[in-house]
Amino acid sequence: MSGKPELKGRAARLARLLPTGPGQAARTPFVLLVVLLLGGGLIALLVLNSALSEGAFQLDDLQRGTKNLTDEEQALQRDIDAYSAPDALQRRARELGMVPGGDPAFLDPDGTVKGVPSAAPGVRQPAAHTPLVLAPEAMPNGLAPTPGR
């Protein structure tokens, strides 16, 4: 006799439907497949989480850089506004030797002059108009000016 008890009736029919022996070995590859899938899924989640964290750090750095550049832009705009203010322009013009202009005269399209032009107050009129750059024929001895002088 074998070491297994004999089954009768319904139990015998169920025992014939269920494989015994070699069927137990077929379960091992399935269990390994499930374990590998779960392990691979966990590793994939870890890699994905690390990539998202790295992206969050880069985003934070970029936002900080954007804030610094925005602050710098606002500071430069404040400087431009300060230099463009009318009183600052007037002070700078006086430092450069400029004076307020006199009354302007306007030309009509037909060539007539409207208004009477006047010189700026505090400006002395030169006796003769001297050009800033003289033509070569106007130079003494007919010599052309040399560069760098």
Side-chain angles (χ1 to χ4, degrees):
M1 277 188 94
S2 69
K4 290 185 182 180
E6 283 191 36
L7 300 174
K8 295 183 181 179
R10 186 173 183 193
R13 279 182 278 156
L14 284 176
R16 276 185 268 149
L17 291 176
L18 296 174
T20 56
Q24 295 295 332
R27 203 180 300 184
T28 305
F30 176 72
V31 171
L32 285 176
L33 177 67
V34 169
V35 169
L36 286 175
L37 286 176
L38 289 175
L42 287 175
I43 290 173
L45 284 175
L46 178 65
V47 169
L48 182 64
N49 192 15
S50 298
L52 288 175
S53 296
E54 183 180 348
F57 285 125
Q58 288 177 350
L59 179 65
D60 187 45
D61 289 342
L62 291 174
Q63 285 175 341
R64 191 176 307 117
T66 301
K67 182 186 177 300
N68 290 339
L69 290 174
T70 302
D71 292 345
E72 183 179 349
E73 179 191 14
Q74 289 174 352
L76 291 173
Q77 188 63 44
R78 280 193 302 271
D79 290 346
I80 289 172
D81 292 343
Y83 289 132
S84 299
D87 58 338
L89 288 175
Q90 181 182 18
R91 180 179 38 81
R92 185 77 177 116
R94 288 197 191 278
E95 288 172 2
L96 293 173
M98 301 172 111
V99 294
D103 294 329
F106 299 97
L107 291 176
D108 280 336
D110 61 357
T112 58
V113 178
K114 280 189 172 181
V116 178
S118 65
V123 177
R124 44 188 179 113
Q125 296 292 325
H129 177 66
T130 307
L132 295 176
V133 178
L134 297 175
E137 56 270 2
M139 296 294 292
N141 301 332
L143 299 174
T146 59
R149 285 192 185 177

